[in-house]
Amino acid sequence: MVKKEIRERMRRLNRALDSRQRLRASAAIFSAVERLPEFRAARTVAVFAALPDEPATDEVLARWASTRRVVLPRVEGDAMRFYACRPDALVFGAFGILEPQGERPCPAGEIDLVVCPGVAFTADGRRLGRGRGYYDRYLGDPAFRGFRVGVCYAHQLVDDLPVEPHDVRMDRVITG
């Protein structure tokens, strides 16, 4: 399958989940993230504000922000940068995604662990995003040395994905 077909198929499957299924899967996903030794050791964790078809992050944003530094992405032109966040002070930004309002971006080298959304993943860490390359560019920066965790619903874990030289693999993929 080509990337466009995979994205369309996953969009259909994601929309078919009811709210109870989404919340149950999200809770399982983020509970598994919290059990990772890399998460427990992390002082700065990068996570995302979920779109309606992604694992819900509302609860973990508040919970994690009480125990560690949490940073969220903000799209600025062709670049994505991470900023410290207050879960109650996010604003809608690029592509209708909630973003932090911070003034100074978090240096990539300070992020210990990043939780990445994706359209689809493989068990060996390949990731298909939404097609704009923000995460691949960010994670491909030599200054970024954090642990990369891809998160998705169980049906988004596939056997194979087309990859390109610039695609960055996840260190771990967690499904729910």
Side-chain angles (χ1 to χ4, degrees), residues 30 44-51 54-55 57 60-61 64 69-87 89-108 111 113-118 127 130 133-139 144 149 151:
F30 292 108
T44 300
V45 174
V47 69
F48 58 96
L51 289 170
E54 295 172 332
T57 56
V60 297
L61 287 177
W64 294 355
R69 180 180 178 203
V70 174
V71 295
L72 266 71
R74 185 166 79 200
V75 172
E76 300 169 338
D78 287 337
M80 179 176 76
R81 292 182 179 84
F82 284 85
Y83 291 82
C85 92
R86 282 193 11 242
L90 301 176
V91 297
F92 285 100
F95 312 108
I97 301 171
L98 286 171
E99 297 180 340
Q101 302 177 60
E103 295 180 20
R104 188 174 87 49
C106 175
I111 297 173
L113 181 139
V114 62
V115 178
C116 299
R127 174 184 172 273
R130 294 188 182 262
Y134 290 109
Y135 275 93
D136 287 316
R137 282 192 297 278
Y138 190 87
L139 300 175
F144 181 81
V149 181
V151 296

Side-chain angles (χ1 to χ4, degrees), residues 31-41 113 147 149 172 174:
S31 176
V33 170
E34 291 169 340
R35 289 191 303 271
L36 292 172
E38 295 85 0
F39 176 83
R40 289 195 306 269
L113 181 139
F147 190 78
V149 181
R172 177 75 56 91
I174 296 178

Side-chain angles (χ1 to χ4, degrees), residues 14-45:
N14 289 353
R15 287 183 182 150
L17 293 173
D18 68 35
S19 61
R20 284 191 324 272
Q21 290 171 308
R22 283 180 201 276
L23 291 176
R24 208 171 339 169
S26 299
I29 289 166
F30 292 108
S31 176
V33 170
E34 291 169 340
R35 289 191 303 271
L36 292 172
E38 295 85 0
F39 176 83
R40 289 195 306 269
R43 289 184 310 225
T44 300
V45 174

